[in-house]
Amino acid sequence: MYDIKKIIQDNLQLTLSDDDLWEGNWYKDLPSHIQKKREVVMTICCKSLHSLWEIESINKLIDVFTTNFSEDGAFMFEYLSNSSWGNEFFVYGSDIIQSNYQLLILYLRLGHPEATVDWHFVCVHENVKRNKQLMMRIVKEVPNTFISFIDEFKDDIEIVRLAIKADGLLLKYASQRLKENEELVRLAIEGNIKAVLFADKKLRKEFDGVF
């Protein structure tokens, strides 16, 4: 990672402490060619240096990222491989980048595996969320993303089957129509007996005492 303090000192004649890197408005004042330098942007994004910046510098960083790196697969792979949980710059990637299975999996795995809502997935572009074949692959690898799938896919028997096969409790987020499907309910209960709580009331009585 780049020595950001030295860059600031050389270009702005400012001497900052480590804490100062996370505050202030210094990024917007850097020369343009320094602002968009690959190593500079990578270091800032991976270390979340922008977290407490003033809004002008944050917006400038987003603009630089979107303009120069939103379609750069190699940059995004390095960023996701080195960023911490909660880092958000993947959401500024293009649809093509976000639809890349390898990159999307890396991004989603930064989320908390037991979260009741996958906030990482919530921020993915709508066009990507509507890609059924991609979502079928994703739900097998990161099952809790199903929680935030579009309603159409929560009513898709292929996708719901994959989701509850990975985690029976995800039956909770299936459409009401599929909660009435005996095959799916049975599959969910086989995976986790507590899934019966999310089945249609008629099926709850039918499965009562079976498992």
Side-chain angles (χ1 to χ4, degrees):
M1 295 293 169
Y2 238 48
D3 186 344
I4 301 296
K5 284 196 295 184
K6 187 175 188 307
I7 289 174
I8 295 171
Q9 189 170 14
D10 291 347
N11 289 275
L12 301 179
Q13 286 72 56
L14 293 175
T15 301
L16 302 180
S17 68
D18 288 341
D19 289 341
D20 291 334
L21 292 178
W22 275 267
E23 299 177 354
N25 210 17
W26 52 265
Y27 180 78
K28 74 173 181 63
D29 296 323
L30 289 173
S32 176
H33 72 283
I34 298 294
Q35 287 177 340
K36 62 186 179 183
K37 191 175 181 66
R38 181 187 182 90
E39 296 86 349
V40 171
V41 177
M42 182 68 73
T43 299
I44 291 171
C45 292
C46 287
K47 292 187 174 183
S48 296
L49 294 183
H50 63 288
S51 301
L52 298 175
W53 287 356
E54 293 182 25
I55 193 64
E56 292 174 296
S57 282
I58 292 176
N59 286 341
K60 185 61 183 179
L61 176 62
I62 292 172
D63 178 63
V64 168
F65 188 96
T66 303
T67 302
N68 297 279
F69 304 107
S70 64
E71 297 187 354
D72 188 330
F75 182 98
M76 194 66 76
F77 179 80
E78 183 179 347
Y79 161 65
L80 291 173
S81 298
N82 292 281
S83 59
S84 59
W85 179 85
N87 218 320
E88 77 279 13
F89 278 87
F90 184 77
V91 305
Y92 300 111
S94 67
D95 282 0
I96 293 174
I97 289 295
Q98 291 196 8
S99 296
N100 181 295
Y101 175 74
Q102 182 184 32
L103 296 177
L104 184 55
I105 283 290
L106 274 174
Y107 170 68
L108 293 174
R109 284 180 174 162
L110 292 175
H112 194 289
E114 297 180 359
T116 54
V117 177
D118 192 325
W119 292 113
H120 279 71
F121 186 79
V122 168
C123 296
V124 170
H125 294 175
E126 287 300 315
N127 289 340
V128 178
K129 293 179 184 177
R130 294 182 179 280
N131 183 328
K132 179 177 177 178
Q133 295 306 311
L134 180 59
M135 294 304 103
M136 289 179 72
R137 297 180 71 188
I138 291 298
V139 77
K140 289 190 288 186
E141 291 292 325
V142 191
N144 70 326
T145 55
F146 178 72
I147 297 169
S148 303
F149 274 18
I150 61 173
D151 289 343
E152 178 184 343
F153 291 162
K154 291 180 178 180
D155 191 49
D156 185 298
I157 194 167
E158 288 182 282
I159 291 178
V160 173
R161 185 183 288 114
L162 290 173
I164 63 176
K165 188 174 181 181
D167 182 351
L169 294 179
L170 289 174
L171 180 65
K172 176 181 180 180
Y173 303 98
S175 67
Q176 181 58 40
R177 180 180 75 89
L178 294 183
K179 288 177 181 176
E180 299 170 1
N181 183 296
E182 183 174 341
E183 174 214 343
L184 292 179
V185 171
R186 183 179 295 278
L187 180 62
I189 294 173
E190 287 175 350
N192 191 317
I193 187 63
K194 292 181 181 179
V196 71
L197 298 173
F198 307 119
D200 180 74
K201 290 181 179 180
K202 296 177 184 177
L203 290 180
R204 279 188 231 168
K205 294 179 181 179
E206 182 176 333
F207 284 108
D208 185 34
V210 174
F211 292 90

